[in-house]
Amino acid sequence: MKHFVEFLKYQPPGRLITTGFAVVILLGAFLLLLPCSVKDGAEVSVIDALFTSTSAVCVTGLIAIDTADHFTALGQAIVALLIQIGGLGVTSVGVGIMIAAGRKVGLRGRTLVKEALNVDSYGGLVKLVKAILITTVCFETAGAVLSFIVFVQDYAPLHALGVSVFHSVAAFNNSGFDILGGLRNLTPYQDNILLNLTTCTLIFFGGIGFLVIMDVLKRRNFRKLALHSKVVLTTSIVLIVLGTVLLKFTEHISWMGAFFHSISARTAGFSTYSIGEFTNAGLFVLCVLMFIGASPGSTGGGIKTSTFFVLAQSTRSMFSKQAVGAFKRSISSQNVSKAYAISMLSALVVIVATFLLCVLEPEFQFIQLLFEVISAFGTVGLSTGITPDLSGAGKLVIILVMFIGRLGAMTLISMWIERPEKMIRYTEETIAIG
C-alpha cells in the first residue's frame, strides 16, 4: 500500500483525475448491480449498470434503462450521488471531505484542484472549493423547494420530495436524468412555467461555471467582471437566443419549449418534447448547441463557450486584420492555439465514434447516430430514442465518448505526455493553406 501511495504521488494530475473518475464509475456500476438497488422483477445487466454509472458520473443523462422503472429508492439515491460527485468533480469532492474532516490540504491536492477546475493560480483554492460546495447546496436547495411545489401536485409529499431533490441535483449538475418513469423525461410538464423556468435557471447557472458565479457575486457589475466572465455570459446568452429562434422556426413547439431546449441542449439533456419527432433541421440545431456545450469550470461538457468565442474572434481578426481580443482586452496566441486544438480533437472524437456506430448499428439513420454521439460527447443526454436499442458494442462506444467528453480530450492526452518542451527552434517556412 505504501508503494502504491508513493507511485500515485509521481503521477501527473491529468492521470490521477482520469483514474479517479474511472474508479467512481466502476464503483457506481457495482452498487447499481446490488439486489437492494434493483427493483423486484427488473433486470439490470452489467453493461446497462456501467452505462448508467458512466452517464451519471459524466453528468450526461443518456439512459439505456429507465432509472425509475429499474432502480429502487436506494438505487436512485446512488445515481443522484454519482451525479453530484461527477458534477462537482472527484477532486473537489475529495478536498471538500478533507476540509470537513479538518485535515490540511497539501500542495498535491491543490494541484489536482487547480487542474480539475481549470484555474491559473494556486491562491485561494481551498476557499474556492468551500465556496463551490456552499453555492451548490444553495442552488440545489432552492431548486428542490420550487420543484416540490410542482411535483407535490402529482405525487405524495414524501415521493414528491424525493423527485424534487433528484431533479434539482440533476438540473444544476447539467445531467438529464429523471425518475418520473416510462422514459418520459419532462414531457408531462411541457406547459408548466414554474418547473420550466426553475430547471432552466439551474441549468444556466450550473453551466456557466463556478468561477463566473463567484465573479458575478463579488463584482455585481458587468463592466467590472473578468474577461472570462464577460465572454462566458455573452456567448451563453447569444447561443440561447439564437437557439430559441431557430428551434421555434424549425419545430412545431411553443416558445417556452424552444427556449427550454435551447438551454437544455447546452449539456443538460432534459426534454419537454419528444426529440425523436424533431425534423433534421431541428436536430442539426441541437447538434451545434450540444457540441459547443457549457463553460469551463462548470458541470457541463462540449468544447465550451469560451473556446467557441475564441474561435469566432480569431476568424474575425483574420478578415479585419486586427488583434484577437474582446471587451478592450487581447486574447493570447496560446489561448487561440488551445481553442483550435480542443476543437480539432473534439471533432476527431465525434467523427471516429460516429463511424464506429455506423458500422455497429447499421439499422439506424445517420442523423440519429451522429446526434447520439454528439450528445454523449457534450455530456448532454438528449436522444432520439435509440439508446436502449443499441447493441452492447454500441453502448461501449457511447460509454467511452461520455468519459472523454466529461474529462476533455486535452486532459486525456496530458495524462500520457510528460516530456518537457524542446528548446530547439527550426527555421520558419510558410505553406499554402486554403
Side-chain angles (χ1 to χ4, degrees), residues 13 91 95 98 103-117 119 121-127 129:
T91 305
V95 171
M98 291 178 65
R103 294 183 59 184
K104 185 177 180 180
V105 182
L107 179 61
R108 189 62 170 169
R110 294 171 188 267
T111 302
L112 290 174
V113 172
K114 176 179 176 293
E115 181 77 16
L117 296 179
V119 295
S121 173
Y122 285 95
L125 284 178
V126 175
K127 290 184 179 179
V129 171

Side-chain angles (χ1 to χ4, degrees), residues 93-149:
V93 173
V95 171
I97 294 174
M98 291 178 65
I99 294 172
R103 294 183 59 184
K104 185 177 180 180
V105 182
L107 179 61
R108 189 62 170 169
R110 294 171 188 267
T111 302
L112 290 174
V113 172
K114 176 179 176 293
E115 181 77 16
L117 296 179
N118 197 19
V119 295
D120 299 325
S121 173
Y122 285 95
L125 284 178
V126 175
K127 290 184 179 179
L128 176 61
V129 171
K130 289 181 180 179
I132 288 174
L133 296 176
I134 294 173
T135 301
T136 299
V137 171
C138 291
F139 271 102
E140 291 180 357
T141 301
V145 171
L146 294 174
S147 300
F148 180 79
I149 297 174

Side-chain angles (χ1 to χ4, degrees), residues 183-204:
L183 299 172
R184 297 177 297 168
N185 210 274
L186 298 181
T187 52
Y189 299 95
Q190 62 182 219
D191 297 320
N192 191 294
I193 297 177
L194 178 59
L195 186 63
N196 274 253
L197 292 181
T198 299
T199 306
C200 286
T201 302
L202 290 171
I203 293 171
F204 178 79

Side-chain angles (χ1 to χ4, degrees), residues 42-90:
E43 293 184 4
V44 178
S45 65
V46 174
I47 187 66
D48 287 339
L50 181 62
F51 192 100
T52 302
S53 181
T54 304
S55 184
V57 175
C58 296
V59 289
T60 305
L62 286 173
I63 52 174
I65 53 176
D66 189 88
T67 309
D69 296 340
H70 288 76
F71 296 112
T72 61
L74 176 61
Q76 294 169 19
I78 291 172
V79 172
L81 179 61
L82 293 174
I83 293 172
Q84 190 72 81
I85 293 174
L88 290 173
V90 176

Side-chain angles (χ1 to χ4, degrees), residues 47 49 58 64 126 135 222 263-264 266 274 296 309 316 356 361 373 379 397 409 412:
I47 187 66
C58 296
V126 175
T135 301
F222 184 82
I263 292 180
S264 183
R266 302 250 326 289
S274 175
F309 181 88
R316 179 192 63 81
L356 291 176
E361 313 290 345
V373 169
T379 67
V397 171
L412 290 176

